[in-house]
Amino acid sequence: MADYQSSNKPNIPPQAEDAVGDGGEAVATFSAYIPPKWAADLQLPRAVSDTSGACSPTVARNGMVPAAKSPPGENTDVICIDCSDDDEELEIVSSKEISSTIPSTNDDPKNMTVPLSNKLSHSSPACESGLLASVSAPEPSKECLRVISELVQQGKLSPLQAEGSGLAIQRHCRLLRRDKSDANSSQPKYMRAGFFIGDGAGVGKGRQIAAVIRDSYCRSVKDASKGLSSRRRHLWLSVSRELIEDAKRDLEDIGCYAPVLDGADGLSNVNKKSFNNDQSAVLFITYALLISGKGSKIEEIISWLIQGQCENTFDGCIIFDEAHKAKNLCQDPPTATGRLVMLLQERLPNARIVYCSATGVSDLKQMAYAVRLGLWGPGTNFATFDIFRESLEKRGVGAMELLALEMKQAGCFVARTLSWDGAEFQTVKVKLSPEQVNVYDNSMKWWEKVKTEMKDILCRPDMNGTPKMLWSQYWSAIQRFSKELAICAKVPILVDDALAQLKEGNSVVIGLQSTGESSTQFTLEELERKLTSEGKKTVAVEEIHLDSLLSTSQAIMTTFIRNHFPVAPQPLEPIKIPPIPDGGFKSEMDKTMHMHFVSMNEKIKSQPPPQPKPELLALRKQLLGEVTILSLPPTPLDDIIDRLGGTENVAEMTGRSGRCVRVPNSIKYRFEKRVGISKEKKFGLSAPLSEEDADRLNITEKKKFMDGRKSVAVISDAASTGISLHTSAKSKARDRRRVHFTIELPWAADKAIQQLGRTHRSGQISAPIYKMVVTELGARHQL
């Protein structure tokens, strides 16, 4: 990794690292490999007086871009918007919205100095890959940096963050040609170029987003004929509802006090009137809300953004935070999130798009949503994304690296990351105890017995064959069981080490992926039905007192036996009948056979389901009884919380709705719903059930951890993006170094990067200690 400097770089042509010695030709960028068809830049006149310094194209009443004095030729595919009105002043908005003033431009901007120097460095050391460091991104123009330069001088924005924001603002001054098939339609021929912030976790992507939004407010243009202002409404999409607090913080930290509206509340009929009264605001929504109601919410969102104007004229910002949520656009069928992200970009072609993700492109096929980068389409060598993808995949990883270089040199991409200098990485190897080995061996013998019994049963002629997906379900259950058992084996060593770290004055963060909620819920429902039938009265789950914590691994066994162990013959399957030919039957015999098959299918469907066989029911009961004597360990998450002091000392940031906790002054346990969680499906990680707790649960838990009221935090996959658990200078527990244990890794590397980034972020007082806890099991040792 090369140290990243955000100071002004000399415009020196990059030297290729793969230069060939004997007469070979060095390839510096992807454009040198397959040169794109960029045309000469074209300056556009303005139709309305622009007091913004002209960093945005003027919108005509009947289209997106007014006709140029010299119309572009057929091959003009990229337009650079004129930014040359140096003598005009910026329109300063109300002090209630923007606290800091904007540098006056009465002085010639050519004489202004852009404060991207090392005297105001980033709050933590940053770096980028050696390959990307070999080329330079285009320097943002002084005009594009004019609004954010004061933020750097005030220390509200680091030079590194200012460069990302400045490049995004400059990129938004370019237009890309849209599909040539629309040349004769009323749709605009151009769309505004977008920018991708690919910085690693903790660099400060939210702060860069806030600076871009603030820049738009400062440059807003008022249309006197309509009494409306452009660039006054913006859309911010993210993964969870709780992150609205972080968005507000980032905007306020740079002096932007525009209202941030919660779309989950504001788009409802109850609040719609007051919601629409905010002429200048940022609408914050989640991707879950975007796809809710079968995509109907997108109409309300667009209606709010355009304020009754034409969709083509909207030129505010649309922020796709954690943009990797739209990465499955290419799969068949595409996900609803991917489709609606594309629809937003198509319907609002003049919007200022910013893609933001630390793991946005872990695979080439996941780039399909990023249409505003201008990598494919008219004016490039790739007419469609499929052609672009196929061309690069043929050339392997080398082509992907060259593509990253090309994107950086084109000014549409940055990818910096925090240096790991000071962070410690340790591997904690767990040696299984004789008791754990015994439990593992006995469990595997049980699974082998189940397989043998099922094979014998399915060989019987009266069973009518093997149920569909039976063996797939069997091996899937074994995989989940063995993984769960390996995680349980790590808990004793993890707890001992965590307690030792707490004694040394550190704070502990424990990362895992699954919570075992579905298995816990299944076990509780079974117990509830059993107690209700015995007592002949309804027993609530919360009223049940348990002798021990529930076991997820035991629930996996029980669930498989109850749902998939064959106890009755397979019902006969209907006969597959070929469709009637378009020209009708060729003979009466064909028609008779068809009617005969139809009659047989009706008889099969009318038969009652086969009855379970008593001997197989007895065998299933026997297998279920054997599960209870295996002494399987409790659910890891509940066990960790109980051993480390209970919910009073452990901040749980997960997506589950309930948990098992110890009854006060007792050796018993009970199930409780997490405070503030309702049974309804909400948008985001969690939502409050009542108004008594204004903050949402996970954010409340995070605050308690950051304030030092709780010394341990447990995070699952549901809380692995967006939150900050580092030793922030603003945290009351900033003197407690973070020790981050990982006991379960996800299947995807990008998710692991996101979770590890919760404790390693900009502005930290001390770098974290990472401890990967692994068992000696061969299949798990690499984890």
Side-chain angles (χ1 to χ4, degrees):
M1 304 290 284
D3 290 339
Y4 186 87
Q5 301 292 338
S6 58
S7 58
N8 292 336
K9 301 178 182 178
N11 190 16
I12 301 174
Q15 298 297 320
E17 294 185 349
D18 56 350
V20 183
D22 301 323
E25 182 178 354
V27 179
T29 65
F30 187 72
S31 61
Y33 191 68
I34 301 179
K37 301 176 181 176
W38 301 119
D41 292 342
L42 177 70
Q43 295 182 352
L44 293 178
R46 297 186 182 83
V48 185
S49 176
D50 184 355
T51 63
S52 68
C55 261
S56 62
T58 303
V59 175
R61 295 188 180 184
N62 58 352
M64 190 181 77
V65 180
K69 294 180 180 179
S70 301
E74 289 296 321
N75 295 326
T76 302
D77 301 299
V78 181
I79 294 179
C80 181
I81 299 165
D82 183 19
C83 300
S84 59
D85 284 0
D86 298 333
D87 296 329
E88 296 178 350
E89 295 184 358
L90 294 175
E91 178 185 356
I92 308 301
V93 299
S94 171
S95 59
K96 294 181 179 180
E97 297 179 1
I98 307 295
S99 65
S100 59
T101 58
I102 308 303
S104 173
T105 57
N106 291 329
D107 299 330
D108 189 354
K110 297 178 181 179
N111 298 325
M112 293 173 59
T113 58
V114 182
L116 293 184
S117 63
N118 288 328
K119 65 180 181 180
L120 297 173
S121 61
H122 194 59
S123 55
S124 298
C127 57
E128 64 182 351
S129 69
L131 185 69
L132 281 178
S134 66
V135 300
S136 299
E139 286 189 23
S141 68
K142 294 176 182 178
E143 174 62 31
C144 291
L145 290 172
R146 180 166 46 158
V147 174
I148 62 176
S149 60
E150 189 180 49
L151 298 177
V152 180
Q153 294 172 336
Q154 295 174 349
K156 296 179 178 179
L157 206 66
S158 72
L160 181 144
Q161 294 168 336
E163 183 178 25
S165 301
L167 285 171
I169 295 167
Q170 181 163 275
R171 180 68 177 173
H172 290 155
C173 295
R174 301 179 72 86
L175 301 180
L176 306 174
R177 183 180 290 277
R178 301 184 78 186
D179 191 348
K180 293 183 179 180
S181 61
D182 297 335
N184 297 324
S185 68
S186 59
Q187 295 296 320
K189 298 179 181 179
Y190 300 96
M191 62 182 178
R192 190 183 297 275
F195 188 77
F196 200 118
I197 301 177
D199 291 338
V203 171
K205 295 185 288 293
R207 193 66 61 90
Q208 296 177 67
I209 291 171
V212 173
I213 293 176
R214 181 182 181 275
D215 179 85
S216 278
Y217 275 120
C218 294
R219 300 177 189 271
S220 60
V221 182
K222 198 161 189 177
D223 188 343
S225 63
K226 297 184 178 180
L228 299 173
S229 297
S230 66
R231 304 176 69 174
R232 306 287 286 185
R233 288 190 172 186
H234 309 278
L235 178 65
W236 190 326
L237 291 97
S238 194
V239 291
S240 68
R241 195 174 171 186
E242 285 85 348
L243 297 180
I244 189 173
E245 301 299 329
D246 293 330
K248 292 177 181 177
R249 179 205 64 204
D250 287 326
L251 287 166
E252 290 176 3
D253 283 350
I254 64 167
C256 181
Y257 295 92
V260 181
L261 308 179
D262 188 342
D265 293 333
L267 292 175
S268 64
N269 292 327
V270 177
N271 301 311
K272 191 172 290 185
K273 184 176 180 180
S274 60
F275 183 72
N276 285 330
N277 289 336
D278 290 304
Q279 292 297 320
S280 301
V282 178
L283 174 61
F284 187 94
I285 67 171
T286 63
Y287 292 100
L289 177 60
L290 178 67
I291 65 175
S292 64
K294 297 182 179 180
S296 61
K297 289 290 184 183
I298 195 171
E299 299 298 333
E300 299 178 45
I301 293 167
I302 293 177
S303 176
W304 181 86
L305 288 173
I306 63 177
Q307 306 179 69
Q309 301 183 79
C310 176
E311 293 179 0
N312 298 336
T313 64
F314 173 74
D315 57 353
C317 298
I318 297 181
I319 310 299
F320 293 113
D321 194 9
E322 308 297 349
H324 54 269
K325 284 294 181 180
K327 66 184 181 181
N328 293 324
L329 181 63
C330 270
Q331 72 180 28
D332 189 18
T335 59
T337 302
R339 287 189 292 102
L340 293 179
V341 165
M342 282 292 294
L343 184 60
L344 265 177
Q345 297 178 83
E346 291 172 359
R347 293 184 56 177
L348 302 173
N350 203 25
R352 289 169 161 80
I353 302 294
V354 178
Y355 310 104
C356 187
S357 175
T359 54
V361 190
S362 54
D363 191 352
L364 191 61
K365 65 182 179 182
Q366 298 171 359
M367 289 186 66
Y369 64 88
V371 293
R372 297 292 185 93
L373 298 181
L375 300 177
W376 60 88
T380 70
N381 286 289
F382 313 104
T384 65
F385 174 75
D386 291 335
I387 298 174
F388 169 78
R389 173 187 169 188
E390 181 182 356
S391 178
L392 265 69
E393 286 180 343
K394 286 180 181 178
R395 295 166 173 84
V397 178
M400 287 286 291
E401 293 176 343
L402 292 174
L403 174 62
L405 293 176
E406 168 69 11
M407 292 170 63
K408 179 181 177 182
Q409 283 193 317
C412 65
F413 174 69
V414 290
R416 294 77 55 93
T417 186
L418 292 183
S419 170
W420 295 98
D421 186 28
E424 298 179 28
F425 294 86
Q426 303 174 14
T427 300
V428 179
K429 296 183 179 180
V430 177
K431 183 175 177 59
L432 300 183
S433 66
E435 293 78 11
Q436 291 172 332
V437 172
N438 187 52
V439 169
Y440 186 87
D441 291 343
N442 291 337
S443 299
M444 291 301 108
K445 290 177 182 177
W446 183 89
W447 283 107
E448 185 66 26
K449 179 180 179 180
V450 170
K451 184 178 72 170
T452 303
E453 295 289 356
M454 289 196 303
K455 283 185 176 180
D456 293 341
I457 293 171
L458 296 175
C459 288
R460 294 168 51 169
D462 58 343
M463 294 301 291
N464 299 333
T466 304
K468 290 182 178 179
M469 303 297 292
L470 173 63
W471 293 113
S472 175
Q473 294 290 343
Y474 173 79
W475 294 112
S476 174
I478 288 183
Q479 183 185 54
R480 287 183 283 110
F481 173 84
S482 59
K483 180 183 179 183
E484 189 71 16
L485 209 57
I487 296 173
C488 293
K490 303 174 185 178
V491 173
I493 300 297
L494 165 70
V495 170
D496 291 343
D497 198 343
L499 291 174
Q501 296 296 335
L502 293 176
K503 288 182 180 179
E504 293 179 7
N506 298 326
S507 291
V508 172
V509 177
I510 300 171
L512 44 75
Q513 297 298 310
S514 56
T515 61
E517 181 180 23
S518 59
S519 298
T520 300
Q521 198 66 34
F522 174 83
T523 304
L524 287 170
E525 290 172 357
E526 287 285 316
L527 188 58
E528 183 182 9
R529 283 194 292 266
K530 180 181 177 181
L531 295 177
T532 300
S533 61
E534 291 177 354
K536 296 184 179 180
K537 67 175 183 177
T538 303
V539 177
V541 172
E542 290 81 359
E543 298 174 0
I544 303 174
H545 281 200
L546 307 166
D547 295 329
S548 62
L549 292 172
L550 299 178
S551 172
T552 304
S553 50
Q554 179 177 327
I556 293 173
M557 288 178 158
T558 305
T559 304
F560 176 78
I561 293 298
R562 290 198 178 278
N563 295 340
H564 302 290
F565 189 79
V567 294
Q570 276 288 99
L572 296 175
E573 294 186 4
I575 303 171
K576 293 183 180 180
I577 305 175
I580 301 175
D582 295 337
F585 297 106
K586 295 182 179 179
S587 63
E588 285 295 325
M589 182 177 293
D590 293 343
K591 183 177 181 181
T592 303
M593 291 295 295
H594 179 81
M595 298 302 297
H596 174 68
F597 289 148
V598 171
S599 176
M600 288 182 62
N601 279 350
E602 291 176 353
K603 291 180 180 180
I604 291 173
K605 293 178 181 179
S606 63
Q607 290 180 357
Q611 294 299 311
K613 295 184 178 295
E615 66 275 16
L616 298 183
L617 289 174
L619 179 57
R620 183 174 72 176
K621 184 176 180 180
Q622 176 189 337
L623 292 171
L624 290 173
E626 292 175 359
V627 172
T628 60
I629 62 175
L630 289 175
S631 300
L632 293 167
T635 301
L637 181 53
D638 289 333
D639 195 17
I640 290 171
I641 293 175
D642 184 59
R643 291 180 183 228
L644 291 177
T647 56
E648 295 79 13
N649 190 51
V650 180
E652 179 187 343
M653 285 163 271
T654 67
R656 65 175 182 171
S657 59
R659 57 193 174 192
C660 289
V661 297
R662 189 182 294 272
V663 177
N665 303 319
S666 172
I667 60 173
K668 298 282 188 178
Y669 297 88
R670 64 181 176 85
F671 177 82
E672 71 170 13
K673 297 194 73 63
R674 294 178 68 202
V675 177
I677 298 290
S678 72
K679 290 185 177 180
E680 294 184 31
K681 185 176 180 182
K682 296 291 183 179
F683 306 111
L685 302 183
S686 58
L689 182 63
S690 63
E691 296 298 330
E692 63 183 7
D693 186 5
D695 292 325
R696 295 170 180 84
L697 182 60
N698 286 347
I699 293 299
T700 302
E701 290 284 87
K702 186 198 82 168
K703 288 180 179 178
K704 290 179 179 179
F705 176 77
M706 296 296 283
D707 290 344
R709 287 178 283 168
K710 293 188 177 184
S711 56
V712 181
V714 181
I715 56 176
S716 71
D717 178 59
S720 292
T721 55
I723 65 170
S724 300
L725 302 176
H726 63 304
T727 53
S728 170
K730 298 180 180 179
S731 169
K732 295 180 181 178
R734 56 183 174 272
D735 57 332
R736 301 173 66 91
R737 190 178 186 186
R738 306 302 191 246
V739 182
H740 190 144
F741 292 89
T742 298
I743 62 173
E744 181 187 6
L745 285 172
W747 294 109
D750 55 349
K751 287 189 175 183
I753 293 172
Q754 290 282 3
Q755 190 173 88
L756 294 176
R758 300 311 99 210
T759 51
H760 183 56
R761 308 183 73 79
S762 293
Q764 61 190 11
I765 303 298
S766 60
I769 301 174
Y770 289 103
K771 294 196 174 188
M772 304 293 173
V773 186
V774 298
T775 64
E776 60 182 355
L777 294 173
R780 298 289 166 187
H781 185 68
Q782 73 274 18
L783 300 181

